[in-house]
Amino acid sequence: WMVSESAACSIDAAVMLSPESQRVSVPGNKFTKQALEAAGVPVFEISADMVDATDWSHDRMVDEVERFLRDRVPDKTKD
């Protein structure tokens, strides 16, 4: 379903939250990420606790998102 929706919506990339404290969701996320990547959709996976922000770093996340966009998402403005 995620792959068909990504195609229908012509997305350039996906962001996936993998909650550290929710091990139940991890296998589903793994298969979804693999399917999207196989379909040509780059996936930025964020491993974070949705309740406890103790380890969250805004600056680190901005750096990681910038790197992901630069390295994995094609720049369509150059076409």
Side-chain angles (χ1 to χ4, degrees):
W1 181 80
M2 293 283 199
V3 173
S4 65
E5 287 300 302
S6 70
C9 297
S10 301
I11 67 168
D12 297 319
V15 176
M16 178 176 291
L17 176 61
S18 293
E20 294 173 348
S21 60
Q22 296 295 323
R23 292 188 326 207
V24 174
S25 69
V26 172
N29 284 359
K30 178 181 173 183
F31 291 121
T32 300
K33 180 179 179 181
Q34 288 175 343
L36 287 168
E37 293 274 0
V41 178
V43 177
F44 179 69
E45 187 172 12
I46 300 172
S47 179
D49 190 316
M50 294 186 285
V51 178
D52 182 3
T54 303
D55 294 330
W56 182 260
S57 168
H58 174 81
D59 294 335
R60 178 180 50 86
M61 190 53 54
V62 168
D63 289 343
E64 289 182 22
V65 170
E66 286 177 347
R67 185 172 31 262
F68 170 76
L69 292 173
R70 182 182 60 246
D71 297 346
R72 302 276 324 274
V73 181
D75 183 354
K76 292 184 178 181
T77 63
K78 294 182 180 181
D79 292 341

